[in-house]
Amino acid sequence: MRFFRRWIPAALLLVLLSAGVVAQHGGWRQASDSQLASLLPARATVEKEHIETEMRTATGIVDLHGRFIAGVVLLTAGYSAEGKYSHYLVVQAPIKIGGVALKPGEYAFGWTQGETGEALSVHFHIAETGVLVGTAEAKHITGTQPVESLHIWPPSERAIIQIGRFAIPYEIKEQ
């Protein structure tokens, strides 16, 4: 009986603390492949083009309310968007990526490498119109992080969007 008196309060405290961590990050977790396949298009509308996406590169996060932040690589060879866009992004919750505020919507982004090779200049555009929303800097990731063409990490793990060997921090703005 004494055992239960000691451990029940500790267990309750642990449950309350873990619920606080989930609430703090809005309950964001990695989205499943099937969720991403139902959300992201096989052909993304970017300006006047319908550009094929590489679904095996799809990545994203989802919150407890079913809102997604997800992206995928665009296959731009042969399209007029080549060089300007390399990725497609669906945003269903306000987010600030490296200082660029994005409202819920669909975006296309591309990047150029800096002179030193230690950073990328990432340009975010409204997918439908091509209008530039803003530019953020992705910095070289140090350490032994695996290289991925695109990975959106949940905020509870790392609040970054990884592009190859580079990362941009992000912050989700709760409504």
Side-chain angles (χ1 to χ4, degrees), residues 40-41 43-47 51 53 68-74 76 81 84-97 100-110 122-135 150 152 161:
L40 295 167
R43 289 189 169 277
T45 302
V46 179
E47 294 188 34
I51 303 173
T53 59
F68 288 86
I69 296 171
V72 66
V73 171
L74 293 169
T76 58
K84 187 175 180 182
Y85 310 119
S86 57
H87 297 78
Y88 183 77
L89 185 67
V90 174
V91 174
Q92 294 182 341
I95 187 171
K96 193 172 189 180
I97 303 173
V100 178
L102 300 178
K103 299 175 185 172
E106 297 174 0
Y107 300 89
F109 67 92
V122 182
H123 313 279
F124 293 91
H125 303 263
I126 297 171
E128 185 179 348
T129 62
V131 172
L132 178 67
V133 178
T135 301
L150 181 64
I152 301 171
I161 296 176

Side-chain angles (χ1 to χ4, degrees), residues 1-60:
M1 192 63 145
R2 207 184 281 176
F3 174 79
F4 289 114
R5 285 187 197 158
R6 283 188 181 158
W7 291 103
I8 288 177
L12 286 173
L13 180 61
L14 184 62
V15 168
L16 290 173
L17 288 175
S18 64
V21 168
V22 169
Q24 180 182 8
H25 295 292
W28 291 89
R29 62 171 177 77
Q30 202 71 50
S32 70
D33 289 342
S34 61
Q35 289 174 316
L36 294 169
S38 68
L39 175 72
L40 295 167
R43 289 189 169 277
T45 302
V46 179
E47 294 188 34
K48 296 175 184 173
E49 307 279 1
H50 298 284
I51 303 173
E52 190 174 347
T53 59
E54 180 61 60
M55 288 307 289
R56 66 184 174 88
T57 66
T59 181

Side-chain angles (χ1 to χ4, degrees), residues 103-165:
K103 299 175 185 172
E106 297 174 0
Y107 300 89
F109 67 92
W111 53 268
T112 54
Q113 193 158 16
E115 292 178 22
T116 65
E118 292 299 313
L120 300 178
S121 181
V122 182
H123 313 279
F124 293 91
H125 303 263
I126 297 171
E128 185 179 348
T129 62
V131 172
L132 178 67
V133 178
T135 301
E137 184 178 72
K139 297 191 179 195
H140 190 267
I141 299 172
T142 57
T144 58
Q145 183 68 33
V147 177
E148 298 186 57
S149 53
L150 181 64
H151 190 104
I152 301 171
W153 293 87
S156 60
E157 292 179 37
R158 313 176 182 152
I160 62 168
I161 296 176
Q162 181 180 345
I163 305 166
R165 296 181 188 274

